[in-house]
Amino acid sequence: MRSGGGSGLILGIESSCDETAAAVVRGGGEVLSNVVASQIALHANYGGVVPELASREHLRNIVPVVHAAMTQAAVTFADLDAIAVTEGPGLAGALLVGITYAKALALGLGKPLLAVNHLEGHIHAVLMEARQREDARMPLPLLALVVSGGHTHLYLADEDPATGWRYRNVGRTVDDAAGEAFDKVAKLLGLGYPGGPWIDALAAHGNPRAVEFHFAQIKPRAPGPGIVNKKAPATPTEGPTFDFSFSGIKTAVLRYLQTHGMSSAIEERRKVLAEMPNAKAADALPLCDAQTLDLIASFQFAVVGNLIRQTFSAAGEFAARGILISGGVAANSELRRRFSEEAARRNLPIAFPSLALSTDNAAMIAAAAWPKFLACQFAPEDLVATPQLKLG
Ligand code: KG4
Ligand code: ZN
């Protein structure tokens, strides 16, 4: 296997969910191309990602997407130093398409293959962009909130000059991810998929204090199987928990709209929007009354408030010197505003990804692969897809 070096050109490939993506990144920081083929329109018909359809679409798109990324970057396969691919977490069949393609390409070209955790990719999207801005070098350790349709995780991230990046998972959702709550509440209200952008746009027109939502206190986690002391019964870990739970607020929204007689208006809205080609949040605005807009604003206000509380409490507990937010929900405008205000109040630097790098992309995979490339941490020949891959 070759050792890390060359001009540092890495082709990143991402296919963990409903985006087929390829990007060419030089030296872990210079994005030469970043191509994303989104399957949103396909899955929107079903109100969520259909795994079998996602795999087929990845298979259809992977070759043209990689070719587009290579053409836009104006490089040839021979110029590449390595191929990086998402190993997990994600949908098994979707991951297999990207991994199989990347393995075959690496083998055919005689180039090394790097396996990247999708969550680490989201973190490195922000780190890469922060490095590009002179004013935003992030002090370590960082507290990273990865908040997307599949994940709501808090990681304490640090860099060891010898072994590279280290992550400690200090919080995670015990049920739904925050993005999933946005998607499910949007669906309950007869809005489009994915729900986050719809709720984000509509919330600006409602009163965030109209409906009060509460979050249950999450019990401390019992130790995982790997750290159970067999002589003692499993007891909860000591100290505070920074875990999340978003299934309760979805149920609370459902109960609210059932008890406030909103169902027929929702069905009407769903029908009108379904008949519009490429309906957007702006099309839904005239179809929402004040009560609906207030409910949407209150839901978003509560979710963002909960994310802020847990993130900044964990930052205090672990003496983090900066905050990093990533994942699809990091695109949310209220989240960006309120997190920035809170960070400024606490005098903590904070970084978000650009909107293009908030949602799934392959530039983040190539960026996360760069330290691994330098450390010659190449993927084994028997690399498999790991749908439940953990970070930290
Ligand atoms: O990171 P991502 O593209 O895919 C996953 O790894 O899940 O995140 C997609 C999620 C969806 O749940 C979507 O509704 C949410 O990110 N999202 C948003 C916004 N834009 C996307 N949530 C809230 N506000 C937004 N503006
Ligand atoms: Zn993601």
Side-chain angles (χ1 to χ4, degrees):
M1 199 54 91
R2 297 162 43 134
S3 63
S7 63
L9 273 187
I10 296 187
L11 168 67
I13 294 172
E14 152 67 33
S15 70
S16 66
C17 191
D18 58 347
E19 258 106 27
T20 318
V24 179
V25 177
R26 195 196 313 270
E30 190 189 347
V31 181
L32 303 185
S33 64
N34 187 25
V35 177
V36 180
S38 173
Q39 305 176 7
I40 282 178
L42 173 73
H43 299 290
N45 300 325
Y46 304 91
V49 178
V50 183
E52 169 76 19
L53 294 182
S55 305
R56 286 166 191 249
E57 279 304 294
H58 286 307
L59 206 47
R60 199 191 310 278
N61 291 333
I62 188 88
V63 174
V65 164
V66 170
H67 274 286
M70 298 296 292
T71 305
Q72 286 179 24
V75 297
T76 66
F77 283 131
D79 296 330
L80 296 175
D81 289 288
I83 321 288
V85 67
T86 304
E87 177 184 6
L91 300 169
L95 289 164
L96 282 173
V97 176
I99 293 173
T100 307
Y101 177 89
K103 269 191 173 187
L105 188 62
L107 188 70
L109 296 173
K111 311 270 179 183
L113 182 67
L114 298 148
V116 174
N117 185 309
H118 180 84
L119 300 168
E120 189 178 11
H122 275 301
I123 292 172
H124 278 266
V126 192
L127 290 170
M128 174 173 67
E129 291 184 316
R131 273 199 308 275
Q132 290 160 359
R133 296 188 300 267
E134 266 308 297
D135 60 336
R137 294 195 85 80
M138 298 299 287
L140 301 174
L142 283 170
L143 192 79
L145 170 67
V146 182
V147 60
S148 69
H151 313 280
T152 308
H153 283 84
L154 283 170
Y155 294 100
L156 194 64
D158 211 343
E159 194 180 17
D160 183 307
T163 52
W165 282 86
R166 289 178 310 200
Y167 308 92
R168 177 170 164 204
N169 181 209
V170 298
R172 50 104 172 90
T173 178
V174 298
D175 41 54
D176 292 351
E180 201 176 346
F182 273 95
D183 296 341
K184 286 178 175 171
V185 164
K187 194 171 178 180
L188 286 175
L189 291 168
L191 304 171
Y193 172 84
W198 291 72
I199 289 186
D200 191 351
L202 294 171
H205 301 274
N207 172 9
R209 309 214 179 241
V211 186
E212 220 176 293
F213 291 108
H214 296 282
F215 285 86
Q217 193 67 38
I218 318 274
K219 290 210 182 73
R221 278 185 252 177
I227 51 172
V228 164
N229 175 353
K230 289 199 179 123
K231 290 192 187 131
T235 50
T237 45
E238 298 290 320
T241 165
F242 304 103
D243 287 346
F244 301 92
S245 168
F246 292 107
S247 74
I249 191 165
K250 170 202 65 191
T251 312
V253 169
L254 175 62
R255 210 172 307 123
Y256 184 94
L257 52 91
Q258 283 170 341
T259 53
H260 288 74
M262 296 167 77
S263 301
S264 56
I266 289 171
E267 276 324 304
E268 187 53 34
R269 179 162 54 244
R270 202 188 305 282
K271 247 192 272 156
V272 174
L273 289 173
E275 280 162 14
M276 287 185 188
N278 303 319
K280 298 264 176 312
D283 301 313
L285 183 57
L287 306 172
C288 293
D289 60 9
Q291 189 182 30
T292 305
L293 294 170
D294 285 352
L295 180 62
I296 290 171
S298 302
F299 162 77
Q300 181 172 282
F301 181 77
V303 170
V304 171
N306 185 253
L307 291 169
I308 287 178
R309 257 189 313 281
Q310 298 297 79
T311 304
F312 284 96
S313 305
E317 173 76 13
F318 298 105
R321 298 180 59 216
I323 307 280
L324 183 155
I325 317 285
S326 63
V329 182
N332 186 271
S333 48
E334 180 177 343
L335 180 146
R336 285 180 180 239
R337 179 177 53 76
R338 288 177 59 198
F339 263 88
S340 300
E341 286 167 3
E342 188 63 26
R345 228 173 46 74
R346 295 170 184 250
N347 212 10
L348 277 174
I350 187 163
F352 301 92
S354 62
L355 289 185
L357 293 195
S358 289
T359 47
D360 290 350
N361 64 87
M364 70 184 197
I365 301 304
W370 176 241
K372 299 178 200 299
F373 176 70
L374 291 177
C376 299
Q377 291 168 353
F378 301 125
E381 283 187 349
D382 61 354
L383 175 74
V384 292
T386 307
Q388 306 294 336
L389 187 65
K390 300 270 184 288
L391 181 66

